[in-house]
Amino acid sequence: MTAPAPLVWTDALLLGYSAMDRMHEDFVQTVQALREAPDDQLAQALALVRDHLETHFGQEDQWMRDTDFPPRDCHIDEHAAVLNSVREVQALLAQGGHADTCRGLADELARWFPGHADYLDSALAAWLFKRQHGGKPVVVRRTITSGEPAS
């Protein structure tokens, strides 16, 4: 399987819930940094991804529990599975070698994220926004493209 294109933050990834959008932008940058890291920096870059995901997923999971978000169990389970994969690859990397496995994980995270955000996180963002503001979020995008950054 070929590697996905670079993971770049664009308006196309905005969901309209600013706290979540900020976490997602950080995720995109952290994962892309892992994808670009030289072999001797993979362990540190993967640790940053794990740290980010623990905070990011922890916050989203808490929002879902606190607000009784209806499909929370599936969403929380997906977060747990992704974080478990990151931890498993960290353990392999700590044993020595396994740079290809780490790079494969980084590519899978880049492949996974847009769909996760578009499907599961967008529903959560709309739910949270409606609870806070009484309606759906309005997302203003500077460009309407398939993920290409604005020029």
Side-chain angles (χ1 to χ4, degrees):
M1 184 178 284
T2 61
L7 189 56
V8 177
W9 180 257
T10 69
D11 289 355
L13 295 170
L14 286 172
L15 299 178
Y17 192 74
S18 60
M20 188 181 295
D21 287 334
R22 283 190 300 274
M23 285 191 306
H24 286 177
E25 185 173 4
D26 290 345
F27 172 83
V28 164
Q29 292 168 354
T30 304
V31 168
Q32 192 57 34
L34 173 62
R35 294 177 78 202
E36 295 170 357
D39 285 356
D40 65 341
Q41 294 176 20
L42 282 175
Q44 295 137 317
L46 186 56
L48 291 173
V49 169
R50 185 213 56 230
D51 292 347
H52 169 83
L53 289 177
E54 286 174 349
T55 301
H56 176 158
F57 290 168
Q59 178 61 73
E60 287 186 8
D61 293 355
Q62 191 63 49
W63 286 332
M64 288 186 273
R65 288 184 184 105
D66 288 350
T67 65
D68 261 349
F69 181 59
R72 69 185 165 275
D73 293 337
C74 173
H75 198 155
I76 290 170
D77 288 349
E78 187 167 308
H79 286 167
V82 169
L83 195 50
N84 186 54
S85 295
V86 169
R87 290 177 177 143
E88 286 176 358
V89 171
Q90 266 192 303
L92 288 172
L93 210 52
Q95 294 171 9
H98 299 283
D100 289 345
T101 303
C102 185
R103 294 198 183 286
L105 172 68
D107 287 344
E108 285 306 313
L109 289 170
R111 199 175 278 111
W112 164 82
F113 177 71
H116 176 83
D118 191 45
Y119 183 65
L120 293 177
D121 286 343
S122 66
L124 176 59
W127 172 264
L128 294 170
F129 194 91
K130 184 173 184 176
R131 290 179 63 88
Q132 280 187 344
H133 304 287
K136 292 182 179 180
V138 175
V139 178
V140 178
R141 293 188 171 97
R142 291 176 292 218
T143 58
I144 300 176
T145 64
S146 61
E148 293 297 318
S151 36

